[in-house]
Amino acid sequence: MKLHVLVIDDEIAICSALTFALEDSYQVTATTDPDEGLRKIENHPFDIVLLDLRIGTKSGLDILQKIKQLAPNLAVIMMTAYSSIDTSIEAIKKGAYYYIEKPLNIEELSLLMKRATEFTQMTNQLETLHEELEKQRGPGNFLGNSRPMERIFSMIERVKDIDSSVLITGESGTGKELVARNIHTLGRRKNKPMQIVNCAAIPEMLLESELFGYEKGAFSGATHRKDGKFVAANGGILFLDEISEMPLPLQAKLLRVLQEREVTPLGSNTKRSLDVRIISAANKNLEQMVMDGEFREDLFFRLNVIPISVPPLRERKEDLPILMDYYMKKHASDMNQEDKTFSAAARQILLDYHYPGNVRELGNIIEYAVALSNSKCMVDTDLPQYVQEQKFVFRQDVLEDDHNSFRVPIGISMKEIEEKVITATLHYCKNHRQKTAQVLKISERSLRDKIKLISKNE
C-alpha cells in the first residue's frame, strides 16, 4: 500500500509537478489552499506533508504549527525558495522534519521523504512500546499489572480530583508515598505544592512547630518567623506519613486544624485560612490503635474518609518479573553498566523469596546484585547471602513441633505472625475465646476484632 503524501503550495505548477513526479511511488493529494489542507489532515490520515514556507500572504510556519496540533507525529518537509539559517532553525523547532530549497531536486526529495517515513515509523513504534510499558506501570510510574495493583490504579484515578481525605495503609516498603505522589501529580492540584511530613522521623517537640509554624520568639531558639507545612502546602496536598506515630496531644491539635480549616502558628494569635487536601499513611493498624486508646477515634474518622490499602509484594507476585527487570535496568544504567540478565537459578530465588521489606527490599537486593556481578548474567551467588539461605525457608508453612509451640519462618510479616499466634492459641484453647484472650493478654473485644480481620483475609 502506497504512503499518502499531501502537497500544500500556492503555485499550481508546483503541485502538478510534484504529483507527476511522486505518483508512481506515493498516493499524492495536492492543494493550493492551506485551510483546505488542514481540513484534509483533520479528516484523513497522511504520512508526509510537503509544505511551502510562503503560501500567498500566509506563513508556512503558522500552518506547520496547526498541522502539529492536529497530527503531532506527521512528518512535514518545508519547501522554500527563500532559504536562510534562521527560517530553517525555526521550522525545525516548530516540528518540521527537514527543510529543502526550491528548485526541488526530486532525487534529493525522494531520499528525504524515505528518511522522514522511517523516522515516523520509528516514532510510532516507540510510542506503542511506551504505551505498553505504561499499561504495565500503571499511573505515575507505578509498576504492576496484577489485579491488586489494578485496584490501586483505579482508586487513584477516582480520587485524584476530589478533596476528601485519604488514608493509605500497608506494610513498610509497599509504596504508600508513591500512591500519595500519584494522587498529587495526576490530580487537579498537581500545579500546587505537595508537602511531606514524616511523623516518625521528627522529634515530638519539633513536630508541632514543623506542622503549624511559629513566630519569632515563640520558644527558645525561635530566632525568626517560619511558616509550617500546612501553610507551605496551601492550595495543594499535605502528606502525613507514619501518622500512627503522632503523639496524642498533637493529634487533638491536628484535629482542630482539620475541622476549622485554619491554622494558628505557635506564638501568634492570627489564624490563617487553609485549602489543603490531607493524605496520610500508616503501616500500623489504626483501628486497633483506636481500640487500645493509642489513637483518637475522631481523628481516625476524619482521616479515613477514603481508605486505600496497598498490598504487600508477596500478595502480588505476578508483578515480580516486571519489577525485577525494571530494577535491573535502572541500577545497571545508574552504574553505567550494560543491561544484565538473571540466570535461571537467580530468577527462581527472587521469585520464591518472601520480601518482608516489599518492593523497597527487592530494589535493594537487585542493586546489590548488579553492583557485585562481574558478568552480564547475574547468578544466584551474586544475590545477598541471606536471600540465598532463605530461598527454601519461605516455601515452608508453619510447622508444628508439638501441641504447645510452632515454628515461624524468618521473613514473614508481624501481621502474619500475629494471625498464626492467634489461630494456634485458639486451637490450643479449643476455641474458647475468653481463655484465648487471657493467654494472649488482650481484651476479648480486641481478640474478636482480630479474628474478624483474619476471616476477611482468608
Side-chain angles (χ1 to χ4, degrees):
M1 186 175 178
K2 293 180 180 180
L3 298 177
H4 200 170
V5 178
L6 174 64
V7 179
I8 305 176
D9 194 298
D10 60 344
E11 296 184 46
I12 297 177
I14 295 291
C15 291
S16 299
L18 285 172
T19 301
F20 178 76
L22 300 173
E23 62 185 358
D24 288 342
S25 302
Y26 299 91
Q27 179 185 348
V28 184
T29 299
T31 179
T32 57
D33 182 356
D35 292 330
E36 182 185 357
L38 291 171
R39 287 194 294 272
K40 289 181 180 295
I41 291 170
E42 192 172 6
N43 297 316
H44 304 284
F46 289 92
D47 299 289
I48 301 173
V49 174
L50 303 179
L51 176 63
D52 194 12
L53 185 63
R54 293 187 181 179
I55 309 174
T57 59
K58 294 187 176 181
S59 167
L61 294 178
D62 293 336
I63 304 302
L64 171 64
Q65 281 189 303
K66 293 178 180 178
I67 290 173
K68 285 298 175 179
Q69 290 172 357
L70 293 172
N73 291 339
L74 182 55
V76 180
I77 298 174
M78 304 297 295
M79 307 179 295
T80 184
Y82 309 97
S83 177
S84 73
I85 293 177
D86 290 341
T87 50
S88 299
I89 293 174
E90 191 174 358
I92 292 172
K93 278 184 177 179
K94 293 188 175 182
Y97 174 73
Y98 211 72
Y99 196 94
I100 190 168
E101 296 178 46
K102 293 179 180 179
L104 302 177
N105 181 314
I106 295 301
E107 289 186 4
E108 182 183 348
L109 178 61
S110 297
L111 179 60
L112 192 57
M113 291 172 65
K114 181 181 178 182
R115 289 177 178 172
T117 302
E118 291 172 350
F119 175 78
T120 302
Q121 289 173 344
M122 183 173 64
T123 301
N124 290 336
Q125 287 174 356
L126 287 173
E127 285 201 353
T128 301
L129 289 172
H130 178 73
E131 288 172 3
E132 289 299 317
L133 180 59
E134 287 303 311
K135 288 179 183 178
Q136 293 182 338
R137 286 178 178 271
N141 296 326
F142 230 150
L143 286 165
N145 54 15
S146 61
R147 184 164 294 180
M149 291 312 295
E150 287 178 356
R151 288 196 291 268
I152 297 292
F153 303 152
S154 175
M155 284 296 293
I156 291 172
E157 181 62 29
R158 283 184 285 171
V159 308
K160 62 184 176 64
D161 291 324
I162 60 178
D163 291 334
S164 302
S165 297
V166 176
L167 176 61
I168 307 167
T169 57
E171 296 176 10
S172 179
T174 52
K176 297 185 291 298
E177 182 177 327
L178 190 54
V179 174
R181 288 187 180 277
N182 280 300
I183 292 173
H184 176 242
T185 56
L186 299 174
R188 67 177 184 84
R189 293 178 181 258
K190 61 184 177 183
N191 295 321
K192 299 295 184 179
M194 177 180 180
Q195 294 291 320
I196 298 175
V197 177
N198 188 323
C199 300
I202 302 173
E204 180 178 344
M205 295 179 64
L206 298 179
L207 185 55
E208 182 176 1
S209 61
E210 184 73 13
L211 283 171
F212 307 139
Y214 54 84
E215 295 292 333
K216 180 179 178 180
F219 51 84
S220 178
T223 58
H224 60 279
R225 179 182 174 277
K226 181 182 177 181
D227 286 334
K229 294 294 187 180
F230 267 102
V231 173
N234 215 4
I237 287 176
L238 177 61
F239 177 50
L240 301 174
D241 198 9
E242 304 295 354
I243 188 68
S244 56
E245 303 303 316
M246 180 174 285
L248 278 168
L250 193 53
Q251 290 179 28
K253 295 179 181 180
L254 173 62
L255 178 63
R256 179 179 292 275
V257 171
L258 299 183
Q259 289 172 335
E260 298 179 355
R261 293 288 175 179
E262 56 187 17
V263 63
T264 305
L266 299 179
S268 172
N269 294 319
T270 304
K271 294 183 178 181
R272 301 186 64 171
S273 297
L274 295 173
D275 173 24
V276 178
R277 185 180 189 184
I278 301 298
I279 300 178
S280 50
N283 59 15
K284 293 183 178 179
N285 186 337
L286 287 184
E287 291 182 359
Q288 184 60 48
M289 291 182 68
V290 169
M291 295 175 197
D292 295 339
E294 298 173 354
F295 200 87
R296 290 183 64 102
E297 184 178 39
D298 44 8
L299 179 59
F300 172 73
F301 288 127
R302 177 71 64 170
L303 298 174
N304 193 42
V305 177
I306 299 175
I308 297 179
S309 177
V310 185
L313 185 54
R314 65 184 172 277
E315 292 181 8
R316 56 180 187 105
K317 282 206 165 183
E318 56 267 51
D319 291 333
L320 268 174
I322 298 171
L323 290 162
M324 288 159 55
D325 291 340
Y326 166 77
Y327 280 116
M328 181 272 294
K329 292 179 184 295
K330 177 184 182 301
H331 292 308
S333 175
D334 291 345
M335 299 178 195
N336 294 319
Q337 298 186 30
E338 61 180 343
D339 284 353
K340 296 176 179 285
T341 58
F342 299 100
S343 69
R347 182 172 286 273
Q348 192 58 53
I349 290 174
L350 290 172
L351 291 173
D352 288 343
Y353 185 58
H354 200 71
Y355 299 102
N358 293 294
V359 179
R360 184 185 296 129
E361 183 183 16
L362 172 64
N364 292 341
I365 290 170
I366 295 179
E367 182 177 3
Y368 174 98
V370 170
L372 269 65
S373 176
N374 293 320
S375 65
K376 188 174 180 180
C377 181
M378 294 185 292
V379 298
D380 53 349
T381 54
D382 292 325
L383 298 173
Q385 189 66 33
Y386 73 91
V387 177
Q388 297 177 50
E389 291 174 351
Q390 295 178 8
K391 60 185 178 182
F392 298 113
V393 174
F394 295 124
R395 295 179 183 174
Q396 300 177 24
D397 294 324
V398 171
L399 302 175
E400 292 188 359
D401 290 335
D402 52 49
H403 293 296
N404 301 322
S405 63
F406 58 87
R407 242 186 284 166
V408 178
I410 296 172
I412 69 172
S413 70
M414 291 302 297
K415 178 182 176 184
E416 288 179 291
I417 293 173
E418 182 180 72
E419 289 178 359
K420 293 180 185 301
V421 169
I422 290 172
T423 302
T425 308
L426 269 171
H427 178 72
Y428 176 78
C429 295
K430 298 180 181 180
N431 289 322
H432 193 295
R433 295 194 177 187
Q434 185 178 15
K435 289 183 180 179
T436 301
Q438 290 172 350
V439 170
L440 295 174
K441 294 182 173 60
I442 60 175
S443 67
E444 289 184 53
R445 178 183 176 185
S446 293
L447 176 64
R448 183 173 63 252
D449 293 327
K450 288 177 183 292
I451 292 172
K452 286 182 182 178
L453 288 174
I454 293 172
S455 299
K456 285 181 182 179
N457 294 331
E458 290 177 346

